[in-house]
Amino acid sequence: MPRPEAEKRTALTLGQKKERGERIAAVTAYDFPTARLADEAGIDLILVGDSLGMVLQGHANTLTVTLEQMVYHSGLVSRAEPAALVVSDLPYGSYHGSVERAVESACRCVKDGGAEAVKLEGGRKRFRAIEAILDAEVPVLAHLGLTPQSVHALGGFKVQGKLREKAREIHRDALELEKLGVFAVVLESVPQELARRISADLRIPTIGIGAGSGCDGQILVFQDLVGFTGLYLPKFVRRYADTRAMWLDALRRYAGDVRAGSFPNDAESYHLGRDIDEFLK
Ligand code: KIV
């Protein structure tokens, strides 16, 4: 159930937040309990990110994630009925090559996954797909800068826009995306000066990750911010908790109690309240 006091966030109301000078707090979630937590914390936008390929599935990149998996995880998140806007990431290969495939993929996330918008990566190469998805009445969150699905083409997970030509391209693409009608743009791993300039030049919000404080909102991967991955963390991640250590301690104590025979105790077990030999006769 959505929190009764919380106003439902939509692609439109997130734009109004920028007009009022309010920042947008966004986070990823891949499941029901995380979505509920995020909602209780007052998060504005929940992204069912294809980062789940790395964070949940243990792959080295996001390229193996399938549309079926995104629809499944979107369903887990949308079942929490959060006040936050639920956005599904379109995975690699689900919007490339054919506009029809892009629309079909976006509609699946909405119809079967309960998503309220989709995110897809890339600038001008994706304009046709974005236009077609918007035409199918699905709000689109764009994603520029370091686009992880282009990891091989980019030669790795590298900061983008440090060279003038690339910075101009990202800036131009952002302006064009606004004209196309996307409701916001994620800026990932770009120099903060570039992100600040783009944010000033756009009416729609920018949502930064590794793009400095000049964006209109920020997004982090939930497991990174609560310290649950044992994986490498980029320098832009602020870890707000070390829950991995807490869970590890709990698991070790549980295993120890089981081996010592101290879990479960009598109070943690069901009772027949009668003599078992008599009872089984
Ligand atoms: O997949 C993802 O989680 C993302 C965000 C980190 C922006 O794309």
Side-chain angles (χ1 to χ4, degrees), residues 28 30 47 49-52 62 89 119 121 143 148 186 188 209 219-221:
T28 62
Y30 315 130
L47 173 68
D50 65 351
S51 51
L52 66 85
T62 59
D89 236 348
K119 174 168 85 59
E121 298 180 6
H143 186 158
V186 168
E188 177 163 355
I209 173 161
I219 184 162
L220 281 177
V221 169

Side-chain angles (χ1 to χ4, degrees), residues 92-114:
Y92 178 63
S94 73
Y95 58 96
H96 306 79
S98 127
V99 164
E100 290 72 26
R101 181 183 307 144
V103 174
E104 214 173 287
S105 302
C107 291
R108 284 247 17 238
C109 289
V110 172
K111 284 162 78 101
D112 301 335

